[in-house]
Amino acid sequence: MKRTIEFGILFLAIVFGFTSCGKSGQKKTKIESEIPNVRIQQVSLRDVERYANLTATILPEVKNNVAPAAPGRIRKIFVEVGDHVSKGQKLVQMDDANLSNLENQVANYQRIYNRVLELFNVGGASQQELDNAKLQLDVATTNLQNLAENTYLLSPTNGVVTARNYDNGDIYSAQFPVLVVMQINPVRAIVNVSETNYSDVKLGMPAQVTFDILKNEFFTGKVNLIYPTIDERTRTFSVEIKLNNNDYKIRPGMFARVKLNFGTVKSIVVPDQAVIKQSGSGEYFVYIYKDGKVTYQKVELGQKIGNEYEIISGIEDGAQVVVAGQARLADGVKVNVVK
């Protein structure tokens, strides 16, 4: 009986020992499994193309409103919307009744002046009489020129008629011009560029322009004008780009996408998997691996390059960044690096 009891106690001790060893092993395995596994990638400086992608609305080179100086009846409009016109071409004829009367008046003043001049030459008229006759002639001639300009309206530029607001016989009022003429070769695009690139934009530098409605077509323009002031609200400045439009494919009002290339610089580039946006803010960070641990590092992003980001500040050349396994990380956490 005594031996049976001793054997039972020994059996329980052995079972308890095995159970204790099992729990210790499980605890050790659990601790090891809590160390996160991560993948890392070393980054370095490389040449990065600096550019800005901007949008713009196409504007004509010149836009002219064709209208007389005073209200009057429109006798004849010689062109239609879409017609190409030349500088100096007759576009509109207003009522010319007053023009005929003034032409007769100028002719009469001319005869008076000639007669007074003849008398003055033989001593039959004073200098004052000659001066008065000349003044009347000059005033009438100037009025005739002004009226003629407002009777026959000429095109101020080479271009295209883009609007006609009246018909023959209408009374012109100053609310709308009779016609609108635009010069659309070349055309202009005005873009707003960040003030950080003010020193990068140069007169004559090329700009690539594309249009959503003109698929697979690329146009090259040049910077024609750099505005000298910066908008204090948007922190941008305006740049005018001029494009040749010989085939008239580009039309005023079209939506354009403009790419300005500022050359290349040396920058750190990281995979986009490494960049994490901080929830509730506009800040971004990455995890840097060193000596078995990771550290939280805030970064300033530059441009997106395919599936990578340019880093303006926050990472040094040669740093190792975490590209996978960030979900369980925190600042200062030990990690296992896996391939």
Side-chain angles (χ1 to χ4, degrees), residues 10-37:
L10 178 62
F11 175 77
L12 290 175
I14 293 172
V15 171
F16 180 77
F18 277 118
T19 304
S20 297
C21 290
K23 288 183 179 180
S24 176
Q26 290 176 0
K27 185 176 182 181
K28 183 177 180 181
T29 303
K30 184 177 181 182
I31 292 175
E32 289 178 350
S33 65
E34 288 179 351
I35 299 178
N37 293 326

Side-chain angles (χ1 to χ4, degrees), residues 171-192:
I171 298 296
Y172 162 74
S173 63
Q175 185 175 6
F176 300 105
V178 181
L179 300 171
V180 177
V181 176
M182 293 185 183
Q183 182 182 344
I184 59 175
N185 183 31
V187 291
R188 301 177 296 136
I190 297 180
V191 295
N192 295 321

Side-chain angles (χ1 to χ4, degrees), residues 203-222:
L203 287 174
M205 70 182 298
Q208 186 184 85
V209 184
T210 58
F211 301 89
D212 292 350
I213 64 172
L214 299 176
K215 302 295 185 182
N216 302 319
E217 292 196 57
F218 298 87
F219 301 83
T220 300
K222 289 186 177 181

Side-chain angles (χ1 to χ4, degrees), residues 37-57:
N37 293 326
V38 297
R39 286 194 297 111
I40 63 174
Q41 180 174 320
Q42 188 173 23
V43 297
S44 59
L45 286 170
R46 77 180 198 208
D47 288 333
V48 174
E49 184 183 66
R50 299 298 303 277
Y51 59 86
N53 287 318
L54 309 164
T55 59
T57 299

Side-chain angles (χ1 to χ4, degrees), residues 80-291:
E80 296 291 341
V81 172
D83 287 350
H84 289 259
V85 297
S86 302
K87 183 176 182 179
Q89 179 179 335
K90 187 184 294 184
L91 303 181
V92 180
Q93 180 182 346
M94 303 297 292
D95 183 49
D96 60 354
N98 292 333
L99 182 65
S100 298
N101 293 335
L102 194 52
E103 286 175 342
N104 293 332
Q105 188 177 7
V106 169
N108 184 51
Y109 281 134
Q110 184 67 56
R111 287 192 296 270
I112 293 174
Y113 174 75
N114 292 339
R115 186 167 60 252
V116 174
L117 180 61
E118 291 176 358
L119 292 173
F120 176 79
N121 290 333
V122 298
S126 66
Q127 181 67 52
Q128 184 177 1
E129 290 174 321
L130 180 64
D131 291 342
N132 288 339
K134 182 66 167 60
L135 179 60
Q136 287 179 324
L137 176 60
D138 290 345
V139 171
T141 301
T142 300
N143 291 338
L144 177 61
Q145 291 174 346
N146 291 336
L147 186 58
E149 291 177 357
N150 288 279
T151 300
Y152 295 99
L153 308 183
L154 309 180
S155 177
T157 185
N158 298 326
V160 178
V161 179
T162 60
R164 171 176 169 167
N165 298 312
Y166 297 88
D167 290 323
N168 296 334
D170 286 346
I171 298 296
Y172 162 74
S173 63
Q175 185 175 6
F176 300 105
V178 181
L179 300 171
V180 177
V181 176
M182 293 185 183
Q183 182 182 344
I184 59 175
N185 183 31
V187 291
R188 301 177 296 136
I190 297 180
V191 295
N192 295 321
V193 184
S194 170
E195 67 175 344
T196 57
N197 297 120
Y198 192 84
S199 61
D200 298 323
V201 181
K202 308 295 182 184
L203 287 174
M205 70 182 298
Q208 186 184 85
V209 184
T210 58
F211 301 89
D212 292 350
I213 64 172
L214 299 176
K215 302 295 185 182
N216 302 319
E217 292 196 57
F218 298 87
F219 301 83
T220 300
K222 289 186 177 181
V223 173
N224 180 65
L225 178 65
I226 303 172
Y227 285 68
T229 58
I230 294 175
D231 190 318
E232 62 183 12
R233 296 168 300 172
T234 62
R235 296 301 174 189
T236 61
F237 63 100
S238 297
V239 174
E240 180 183 287
I241 297 165
K242 189 169 290 189
L243 298 90
N244 289 327
N245 190 28
N246 297 326
D247 53 8
Y248 294 101
K249 285 186 176 181
I250 306 172
R251 299 304 175 107
M254 287 173 63
F255 175 77
R257 300 185 187 275
V258 180
K259 181 178 179 180
L260 289 176
N261 193 318
F262 304 131
T264 59
V265 294
K266 292 286 187 180
S267 291
I268 298 289
V269 177
V270 302
D272 54 7
Q273 303 100 312
V275 179
I276 303 173
K277 185 178 186 299
Q278 190 173 41
S279 179
S281 74
E283 296 181 346
Y284 296 85
F285 67 91
V286 299
Y287 283 108
I288 306 294
Y289 173 80
K290 186 176 181 180
D291 298 331

